[in-house]
Amino acid sequence: MFSAFIVACGRTHLMDVWTRWYPTYWLSGLIKAITAFVSDIGVEFKIDFPIV
């Protein structure tokens, strides 16, 4: 789950660069929302299954 979060963060950064030239703000917002969702699921997974 952590690796999915890292990939989602990378896509967010790539989308920020893309948005500089092509103003597709709706797509940028969608990718950020997906990143937030993956982050939330990752936190819930970590709370349910703590690594000791």
Side-chain angles (χ1 to χ4, degrees):
M1 190 54 65
F2 183 70
S3 61
F5 173 67
I6 294 299
V7 169
C9 285
R11 288 185 180 171
T12 301
H13 293 306
L14 287 175
M15 192 63 209
D16 287 340
V17 173
W18 174 267
T19 305
R20 292 279 186 196
W21 287 288
Y22 305 104
T24 51
Y25 295 108
W26 64 271
L27 185 58
S28 178
L30 178 66
I31 291 175
K32 287 181 182 182
I34 291 170
T35 302
F37 178 73
V38 170
S39 173
D40 185 46
I41 296 300
V43 166
E44 303 239 352
F45 184 77
K46 176 70 174 165
I47 290 172
D48 289 340
F49 301 104
I51 298 172
V52 178

